[in-house]
Amino acid sequence: MNILILGNSEDAHAAHLKQTLTQAGVTVDYLDTRLFPTQLRLSWQPDTGLGYLTLPGGRKLNFSEIRSVFWRSFSGVNVPSLNDPDRQRIAVNDAMSAMRTLLQAIPCRWVNSWQAYQFHKEKPLQLHKAKQIGVKIPATWIGNDPEQAIAFVQSQEKAIFKPVYGGAHTQFITQDHLDPKRLNLTLSLSPVTIQEYIPGTNIRSYVIANSVYSAEIRSPSLDFREDLEAELIPVELPDYIQQQCLAITQAFMLEWTAIDWRLSPQGEYVFLEANPSPMFLHFERQTGFPITQELIQLLLD
């Protein structure tokens, strides 16, 4: 049986897993979608469900031979440039449609799945889903209406903002941000997520199957991802929060994830986000938690 890693050797996490799996005697290959359709070949029959991949080296791999796929990163497809814009558009759309089909048609264990990846891209829905299953979330406003944005900020003692989709660090909202001219221009370009600021401690929990590993992240930065010197201190979460970690993972269709919490001075755990493809090497090295071992077991089960 084979295991695929969605990604490539340029990613340290993908390379680490491939090396560890190979050392364990497992046949493992990268599924580098950047090589589709020029070097990576796909064949699939919807009526029978039969399909195979031809990897860049020429080896054929039947879908039935694939035990599991680890989703590290999806880089889209890479269609050669064409002189005709219409042909280019059609070729890109066809390649992406075929690739999206592949990422859902291979009948194996996905860690994590296309559905989980898509759900993560809709972060407002992620927050709403967490609230629905009884998890505490920050007061949050999402939109591009300047009047409503100002009203929400004024209703909070302190507020932060960040992109709806992600890709930039969290910042405090200042009076300069609320200048009518600046705010109107900003919100005419894109909506924004505004949240109440939750003072307290950053907690990150890694959930792999039924295991939960958590650490306090000590950093003076508003967004600890900016702080390369952040200190990681292993902690044991209360049982009910560990159960919430498992419930979030299930509700978000995840096999594994990293969940970010804010522990308030009042002792409340406030959910911020669950990532379907988190970085873990630094966390594992600093805490000693057996994340790699747990992931390998998950892919082999």
Side-chain angles (χ1 to χ4, degrees), residues 108-170:
C108 69
R109 185 171 207 169
W110 284 81
V111 184
N112 286 296
S113 68
W114 171 263
Q115 288 78 11
Y117 170 74
Q118 290 299 310
F119 185 65
H120 172 70
K121 290 162 66 174
E122 319 305 341
K123 292 189 178 183
L125 281 179
Q126 190 184 77
L127 280 172
H128 183 62
K129 186 67 174 181
K131 178 67 174 179
Q132 285 183 317
I133 62 173
V135 176
K136 184 172 180 59
I137 67 171
T140 304
W141 179 87
I142 295 154
N144 67 333
D145 185 316
E147 290 184 7
Q148 293 298 317
I150 291 172
F152 180 83
V153 171
Q154 290 176 343
S155 72
Q156 304 300 319
E157 185 174 334
K158 202 175 217 180
I160 60 172
F161 74 95
K162 55 188 176 182
V164 177
Y165 182 83
H169 295 303
T170 301

Side-chain angles (χ1 to χ4, degrees), residues 202-224:
N202 292 308
I203 304 287
R204 170 162 282 198
S205 300
Y206 282 83
V207 185
I208 308 135
N210 294 316
S211 300
V212 180
Y213 301 100
S214 302
E216 175 185 335
I217 303 173
R218 295 183 180 174
S219 170
S221 299
L222 174 62
D223 192 324
F224 65 80

Side-chain angles (χ1 to χ4, degrees), residues 248-266:
I248 289 167
T249 303
Q250 182 178 21
F252 291 9
M253 301 169 284
L254 296 162
E255 297 280 339
W256 94 291
T257 185
I259 298 172
D260 290 327
W261 304 91
R262 192 81 163 160
L263 176 57
S264 75
Q266 292 76 36

Side-chain angles (χ1 to χ4, degrees), residues 37 52 55 227 272 280:
Y52 64 83
L55 300 173
D227 185 3
L272 301 179
F280 61 90

Side-chain angles (χ1 to χ4, degrees), residues 44-298:
W44 185 60
Q45 295 178 246
D47 57 329
T48 64
L50 297 176
Y52 64 83
L53 294 171
T54 303
L55 300 173
R59 185 164 67 89
K60 272 189 179 180
L61 185 60
N62 288 328
F63 283 8
S64 61
E65 297 174 313
I66 301 171
R67 186 186 193 102
S68 56
V69 182
F70 181 80
W71 187 300
R72 176 55 202 156
S73 61
F74 175 52
S75 301
V77 296
N78 188 16
V79 174
S81 296
L82 302 174
N83 293 327
D84 185 332
D86 288 334
R87 288 186 61 200
Q88 181 78 38
R89 175 181 53 79
I90 292 169
V92 170
N93 287 342
D94 284 350
M96 275 299 298
S97 181
M99 183 52 60
R100 287 195 300 267
T101 296
L102 168 68
L103 298 181
Q104 298 173 79
I106 296 178
C108 69
R109 185 171 207 169
W110 284 81
V111 184
N112 286 296
S113 68
W114 171 263
Q115 288 78 11
Y117 170 74
Q118 290 299 310
F119 185 65
H120 172 70
K121 290 162 66 174
E122 319 305 341
K123 292 189 178 183
L125 281 179
Q126 190 184 77
L127 280 172
H128 183 62
K129 186 67 174 181
K131 178 67 174 179
Q132 285 183 317
I133 62 173
V135 176
K136 184 172 180 59
I137 67 171
T140 304
W141 179 87
I142 295 154
N144 67 333
D145 185 316
E147 290 184 7
Q148 293 298 317
I150 291 172
F152 180 83
V153 171
Q154 290 176 343
S155 72
Q156 304 300 319
E157 185 174 334
K158 202 175 217 180
I160 60 172
F161 74 95
K162 55 188 176 182
V164 177
Y165 182 83
H169 295 303
T170 301
Q171 298 181 52
F172 281 114
I173 290 182
T174 67
Q175 282 304 121
D176 287 343
H177 292 121
L178 299 178
D179 173 76
K181 185 175 180 180
R182 177 177 178 179
L183 186 62
N184 279 322
L185 175 60
T186 298
L187 295 182
S188 69
L189 297 175
S190 69
V192 68
T193 295
I194 301 176
Q195 291 181 320
E196 66 170 318
Y197 170 66
I198 308 292
T201 304
N202 292 308
I203 304 287
R204 170 162 282 198
S205 300
Y206 282 83
V207 185
I208 308 135
N210 294 316
S211 300
V212 180
Y213 301 100
S214 302
E216 175 185 335
I217 303 173
R218 295 183 180 174
S219 170
S221 299
L222 174 62
D223 192 324
F224 65 80
R225 294 171 299 177
E226 296 180 296
D227 185 3
L228 298 178
E229 303 299 322
E231 187 178 5
L232 303 176
I233 310 297
V235 295
E236 187 75 18
L237 297 183
D239 287 344
Y240 80 97
I241 296 298
Q242 293 199 50
Q243 289 303 311
Q244 285 193 355
C245 286
L246 297 175
I248 289 167
T249 303
Q250 182 178 21
F252 291 9
M253 301 169 284
L254 296 162
E255 297 280 339
W256 94 291
T257 185
I259 298 172
D260 290 327
W261 304 91
R262 192 81 163 160
L263 176 57
S264 75
Q266 292 76 36
E268 289 186 307
Y269 288 81
V270 183
F271 170 80
L272 301 179
E273 181 182 2
N275 192 326
S277 183
M279 294 186 289
F280 61 90
L281 290 177
H282 177 69
F283 190 95
E284 181 176 57
R285 290 164 184 156
Q286 293 295 311
T287 62
F289 290 146
I291 296 174
T292 297
Q293 179 182 335
E294 292 264 15
L295 287 174
I296 296 300
Q297 189 59 50
L298 190 61

